[in-house]
Amino acid sequence: MRTTGRVVLALATAGALLVSGCSSDGGRPDERAPDVDASDGSTTTDPPDAPPLEPLPEDIPEALLPYYEQELNWGACGHAEFQCALLHVPLDYENPDGSDDIQLTVTRSRATNAGERLGALLMNPGGPGVSAVDFAQSSAAYVFPSEVRARYDMVGLDARGTGGSEPVDCLDGPAMDQHTLTDRTPDDDAEVAELVAANEVFAQGCQESVGRLLEHVSTVESARDMDVLRQVLGDEKLHYVGFSYGTKLGAFYAGLFPSRVGRLVLDAAMDPRLDTLSTDRQQAGGFETAFRSFAEDCTSRDDCPLGRDGADGASEQLLDFYARVDADPLPTGEDRPLTESLANTGVAYALYAEHLWPTLREALTVAIDDGDGSQLLRLADGYNGRGPGGEYDTDMFAFRAISCLDSPAGNADADAVREQLASYQEASPTFGADFAWDTLVCAAWPVEPSGAPVSIEAAGADDILVVGTTRDPATPYAWAEGLADQLSSGVLLTYDGDGHTAYGGTSACVDAAVNEYLLAHTTPEEGTTC
């Protein structure tokens, strides 16, 4: 599963209902995703043990000065309020003289009140892999109020390997269609072999497409790219809002360049201390929490297709539906039937945002009652980035490339998955098996990982605002607690609610606190809950 930024954009453009109300009693909400131990699935409050991320020297190395001193050639790029340019960075920061340059696409709209301009405000919608350029141009006006846009240049930088920055591209449309039909919860050795083969085909396609770039799309390198852009834009410190994976990117920036941290907002936070297995297992628990919240709402309604027996009964109904679809995929009116994997993907996508719950109820109703899988297929296509013509965006390709480079693979073979399957299903009866088998993805990756779990202190950085949602499916609330706790200047703002991310239209209380931080550099009182 990925921590997608596509839903962040959907929330922004849909004008989600504002929910007001704050408290600062310091209490922890009762409903949140379980913090699951990496070994046996039991809950734990002990922070993972990970080595610290060491900051880079404050002096810019001489070999990198040409990049830091470049001038951008801004020009029109099809959006009335935005300009675009290309930023040159080294392919390999460890060997800048001996490696090629790569070009990253950057966009900006200028602060509308130039006389009170605070600087550039970079943003990243997550993924990893979602285009920050597209997000800035499509959603900055919805996510950020006019008061913030008056004081900051709105800036989107497509991270290396994503969007317009030499994107990783692995499979064409028909091949990707076939890949998404692969059974992600195999029932026998033949289906395991098919899953392993599909992962290998995907990985080989990525390597053939981009070559050496596949070795240099890590979060560390993207954080270093942001520092180059900060200097080129003329700012002494980096101001930044990151959502989902964008919180990991922002945290890495803070860890590498603590003295250059300005106003950093990290919404729907990831915990960089977690290894792949812990991340996947806890994320499965996050989706279970989100599903149970949806199910409690659904089963209170007369039109719920999952019965009237609460979350436990709804989970059983959904698993029974998955089993039927696994045995006999549903027609969709297209050449692609609705398989168990696509049904699971469609359900997961709708759990990212509460305003998608009615859509999910309707999609499940026509699938369960009428045997029509078309609406769940459309939800799955939204998650997978499939366009109406059968083309796919590159988000999912970049997601794997960055994720597999950032951390060692979770499991090497099917036997290892089978040993851990019970712990995943304990964390999430509804989604656990899918997450468990997904840990094989990076085992087929053709490039050795360059990263590993780290703890990030960012000693000396200005206050960093971390935002966590108690029933976030993709980035469990415990991750926000963990990130705020390990950052020496981290301040946690809690949204007691549903959905992935909180800033930008979900909660008036969260919006007010974040905007006050961006404009006045004032953090909310410790323990504030909206």
Side-chain angles (χ1 to χ4, degrees):
M1 288 291 177
R2 64 181 178 164
T3 53
T4 183
R6 195 174 281 114
V7 178
V8 176
L9 189 150
L11 277 167
T13 56
L17 178 67
L18 293 177
V19 181
S20 61
C22 299
S23 69
S24 57
D25 58 9
R28 291 177 58 177
D30 292 330
E31 295 186 78
R32 57 186 183 275
D35 187 8
V36 183
D37 181 74
S39 59
D40 60 5
S42 61
T43 59
T44 179
T45 57
D46 294 331
D49 185 17
L53 177 66
E54 298 294 341
L56 292 170
E58 292 198 21
D59 292 338
I60 298 169
E62 185 175 350
L64 295 179
L65 287 177
Y67 299 101
Y68 275 83
E69 294 172 352
Q70 68 185 291
E71 294 186 7
L72 297 181
N73 183 22
W74 295 100
C77 53
H79 193 290
E81 297 180 5
F82 282 84
Q83 304 169 299
C84 291
L86 293 176
L87 177 75
H88 291 260
V89 295
L91 174 66
D92 183 359
Y93 275 96
E94 299 306 316
N95 185 25
D97 291 329
S99 71
D100 298 327
D101 287 0
I102 56 176
Q103 296 181 333
L104 309 181
T105 300
V106 57
T107 192
R108 74 174 178 187
S109 66
R110 303 309 296 267
T112 57
N113 186 349
E116 296 187 12
R117 178 181 176 274
L118 293 170
L121 182 64
L122 273 67
M123 60 196 75
N124 186 284
V130 181
S131 169
V133 168
D134 289 349
F135 179 75
Q137 294 180 351
S138 300
S139 299
Y142 298 95
V143 174
F144 300 95
S146 59
E147 295 85 352
V148 172
R149 289 181 281 118
R151 306 288 302 280
Y152 289 97
D153 295 346
M154 298 284 104
V155 178
L157 171 66
D158 278 346
R160 50 177 65 204
T162 76
S165 297
E166 308 199 21
V168 176
D169 193 3
C170 304
L171 301 175
D172 62 19
M176 190 62 180
D177 278 346
Q178 187 61 42
H179 183 79
T180 62
L181 291 171
T182 304
D183 191 336
R184 295 200 308 265
T185 54
D187 300 313
D188 53 40
D189 289 344
E191 290 185 351
V192 169
E194 291 175 2
L195 177 61
V196 171
N199 289 337
E200 290 173 347
V201 168
F202 191 104
Q204 183 179 359
C206 298
Q207 186 176 43
E208 292 175 352
S209 170
V210 297
R212 281 196 65 209
L213 178 64
L214 210 59
E215 303 172 25
H216 296 286
V217 292
S218 69
T219 299
V220 167
E221 289 162 312
S222 290
R224 299 189 71 169
D225 293 339
M226 289 203 303
D227 195 57
V228 173
L229 180 59
R230 172 202 58 77
Q231 178 82 358
V232 170
L233 294 176
D235 287 347
E236 292 185 3
K237 295 193 173 185
L238 181 83
H239 308 303
Y240 174 85
V241 176
F243 300 92
S244 195
Y245 163 79
T247 67
K248 180 179 179 180
L249 181 58
F252 267 75
Y253 182 89
L256 294 172
F257 306 103
S259 66
R260 298 173 195 166
V261 167
R263 305 175 193 191
L264 260 63
V265 179
L266 308 179
D267 182 8
M270 297 184 70
D271 189 337
R273 298 172 299 182
L274 300 176
D275 61 23
T276 300
L277 292 178
S278 300
T279 297
D280 287 357
R281 192 182 283 106
Q282 292 185 27
Q283 193 177 50
F287 273 91
E288 188 68 25
T289 298
F291 173 74
R292 294 183 70 83
S293 189
F294 159 77
E296 290 290 352
D297 176 81
C298 181
T299 56
S300 70
R301 302 172 183 271
D302 292 336
D303 63 346
C304 181
L306 300 176
R308 301 295 299 277
D309 294 331
D312 290 339
S315 179
E316 291 178 6
Q317 293 281 341
L318 185 61
L319 290 173
D320 287 344
F321 168 66
Y322 285 165
R324 295 195 300 272
V325 173
D326 188 31
D328 188 14
L330 296 183
T332 61
E334 301 184 25
D335 292 338
R336 299 175 300 140
L338 183 77
T339 63
E340 179 189 8
S341 292
L342 285 170
N344 185 289
T345 299
V347 171
Y349 181 66
L351 296 178
Y352 275 94
E354 189 175 355
H355 78 261
L356 293 175
W357 288 3
T359 303
L360 178 56
R361 283 201 312 273
E362 174 66 19
L364 286 170
T365 296
V366 299
I368 293 172
D369 294 348
D370 303 331
D372 178 359
S374 59
Q375 292 191 34
L376 278 175
L377 180 64
R378 282 198 294 273
L379 285 170
D381 286 348
Y383 186 97
N384 288 324
R386 187 184 193 272
E391 74 286 353
Y392 286 79
D393 61 36
T394 61
D395 297 6
M396 193 65 80
F397 308 141
F399 170 79
R400 285 202 188 180
I402 296 168
S403 299
C404 292
L405 195 60
D406 270 357
S407 188
N411 281 311
D413 53 43
D415 287 341
V417 175
R418 292 188 183 102
E419 290 177 2
Q420 298 162 10
L421 191 57
S423 70
Y424 278 83
Q425 291 174 318
E426 181 181 351
S428 174
T430 314
F431 300 99
D434 189 280
F435 273 90
W437 286 103
D438 198 54
T439 60
L440 286 178
V441 163
C442 293
W445 207 244
V447 175
E448 290 295 319
S450 59
V454 293
S455 61
I456 299 178
E457 182 182 3
D462 289 349
D463 285 349
I464 297 171
L465 183 57
V466 179
V467 185
T469 297
T470 56
R471 295 180 294 278
D472 188 321
T475 53
Y477 178 70
W479 294 1
E481 292 181 303
L483 181 60
D485 183 64
Q486 67 193 272
L487 291 169
S488 64
S489 58
V491 176
L492 178 63
L493 172 64
T494 297
Y495 170 53
D496 186 6
D498 298 282
H500 186 44
T501 76
Y503 176 65
T506 299
S507 164
C509 168
V510 170
D511 288 354
V514 172
N515 295 334
E516 178 71 10
Y517 171 77
L518 290 174
L519 293 172
H521 209 181
T522 301
T523 57
E525 184 179 345
E526 190 72 38
T528 297
T529 296
C530 292

